[in-house]
Amino acid sequence: MSTADRLTDALYGLGWSTVKRLPEPAAVRLGRTIADLAWKQRGKGVLRLESNYARVVPGATAERLAELSRAGMRSYLRYWMESFRLPAWSAERVRAGFEPKDLHHLTDGLASGRGVVLALPHLANWDLAGAWVTTALETPFTTVAERLRPETLYDRFVAYREGLGMEVLPHSGGSAFGTLARRLRDGGLVCLVADRDLSASGVEVDFFGDRARMPAGPALLAQQTGALLLPVTLWYDDSPVMKGRVHPPIEVPRSGTRTEKTSVMTQALADAFATGIADHPEDWHMLQRLWLADLDPGKGPA
C-alpha cells in the first residue's frame, strides 16, 4: 500500500472513529468549516462543481456559480459529517432524520411482491435515505459499491453500509447483476446510485442540454425481473431533516428491442434526476466530469 493510500484510509478511519463521537452541533460546525476552507482553495473539485452547475443553471453569473459551489461544498460536507455519525445514531434519530414524499410508490410496490429498484443521483445523503428504509420501513435492501483504493478503504465502506442494514455487492466481478435480479424476483428491494457511468456499457442520455452516459443496470433489471423502477431525489433545507421524493414508476415500453427499451427508460430516469437537481443544484455532489463533451473535449458540445 502506498503512503497516499495509507493516509487516505487513516483519514476516513479517523472520521468514523472521531466525528461520530462529537455532539451534533459541533459536527455541523466542523463540516461547514472544512467546506468553506476547501471552497476558498478553489481546487479541482470545486472548479468542476462550478462547471457542472453552469450546465444545470444556464446563464448563471460567475458570482452565482461561486455562491452555488460554496453551498454545494457545505452540502457535500454535511453528507460526510452525517455519514460518519450515522453508525452512532439511534433508531429514533434515523427515523426523524428523513421525510420522503410520495412514499406510497415504494410501499405499494413492495406490497405487490414485484420487487422494486430505487435509482438515485448523487443528491444530499443517499446513505441516510438507505438507513431510513432499513429502520423506519424495516425493509432490507441490496446495493452495489465501487471498489476503492486502498482495499482497506473499500472494506471500511462495506462494513459501514452493512452496519446500516444494507447488503453490499462489489461492482466489479460480473456477479452483481445476477444477485440483484434474484433479490428482485424474490420481491426484494434494490437501491442504486445511477447518475454517472463511464463504462462502455453506459446509455447515452440528454441531460441538461447535452449528452451524458448513465448506467443501464436499473432499466435492464426492471425489464428482466418485472420489478418497478422508481427514481428518487433528495435534498436538504434549513432544518436537520433531509427531504426526498419517490417519483412515479418508469414503465417498460411495450415495443422495441431490449436496447431501445433500455434507452427510453434510462432517458426517463435522467429526466427525473434533472428535475430534482434543477430544484436543488447545491445538493448535487458531482465533483467529477460527467458530460461526454467534458470527458472528451475534442467532441465539443452537442
Side-chain angles (χ1 to χ4, degrees):
M1 186 189 300
S2 69
T3 301
D5 285 347
R6 284 196 295 270
L7 178 60
T8 299
D9 182 56
L11 288 173
Y12 279 99
L14 182 65
W16 270 301
S17 64
T18 303
V19 173
K20 72 179 180 182
R21 297 191 179 96
L22 293 175
E24 191 156 339
V28 171
R29 288 194 299 271
L30 176 62
R32 179 160 291 201
T33 299
I34 295 172
D36 288 349
L37 287 172
W39 178 78
K40 289 176 182 176
Q41 290 177 356
R42 307 289 292 163
K44 289 183 179 179
V46 173
L47 295 177
R48 175 51 51 190
L49 192 62
E50 287 187 10
S51 176
N52 290 337
Y53 286 161
R55 292 180 182 270
V56 174
V57 188
T61 64
E63 291 77 12
R64 173 60 177 149
L65 291 175
E67 290 173 359
L68 277 174
S69 67
R70 184 177 189 180
M73 291 304 295
R74 287 180 171 184
S75 175
Y76 186 46
L77 264 295
R78 176 173 171 176
Y79 160 78
W80 279 112
M81 292 299 108
E82 287 179 347
S83 294
F84 287 142
R85 291 173 52 75
L86 263 176
W89 280 14
S90 66
E92 290 76 17
R93 178 66 182 90
V94 172
R95 284 193 288 267
F98 180 43
E99 291 181 358
K101 298 180 179 180
D102 299 327
L103 186 63
H104 66 278
H105 293 305
L106 171 58
T107 54
D108 290 351
L110 292 172
S112 74
R114 290 178 56 182
V116 175
V117 180
L118 293 181
L120 306 87
H122 286 82
L123 273 169
N125 192 338
W126 47 97
D127 285 330
L128 172 54
W132 187 90
V133 167
T134 61
T135 304
L137 299 185
E138 299 182 344
T139 301
F141 65 86
T142 305
T143 187
V144 297
E146 181 181 356
R147 285 204 173 274
L148 303 172
R149 291 185 56 192
E151 188 74 14
T152 51
L153 179 57
Y154 170 78
D155 292 340
R156 285 187 190 274
F157 270 96
V158 170
Y160 155 64
R161 290 185 169 126
E162 288 180 341
L164 299 177
M166 311 175 192
E167 179 187 22
V168 183
L169 307 175
H171 186 272
S172 58
S175 62
F177 188 91
T179 302
L180 295 174
R182 287 193 294 274
R183 300 292 182 269
L184 292 169
R185 290 194 184 99
D186 290 339
L189 177 63
V190 165
C191 299
L192 301 170
V193 179
D195 57 344
R196 184 171 183 261
D197 189 330
L198 304 183
S199 71
S201 61
V203 178
E204 285 197 21
V205 295
D206 288 315
F207 197 54
F208 290 104
D210 212 339
R211 303 295 285 174
R213 190 178 292 122
M214 295 187 180
L220 288 172
L221 285 167
Q223 290 178 63
Q224 187 163 315
T225 67
L228 285 178
L229 174 55
L230 301 176
V232 176
T233 53
L234 309 170
W235 65 91
Y236 290 128
D237 56 19
D238 294 331
S239 77
V241 181
M242 184 177 70
K243 306 302 191 295
R245 179 189 174 200
V246 183
H247 295 250
I250 293 175
E251 302 294 341
V252 178
R254 293 181 179 274
S255 62
T257 65
R258 185 174 73 166
T259 299
E260 290 168 343
K261 292 178 180 179
T262 301
S263 178
V264 169
M265 295 174 72
T266 306
Q267 181 63 61
L269 202 59
D271 293 342
F273 290 169
T275 298
I277 293 168
D279 288 343
H280 305 278
E282 68 278 4
D283 292 324
W284 189 40
H285 307 150
M286 186 55 65
L287 282 73
Q288 301 85 23
R289 298 176 188 271
L290 175 71
W291 282 272
L292 300 185
D294 294 333
L295 294 166
D296 182 8
K299 292 184 64 173

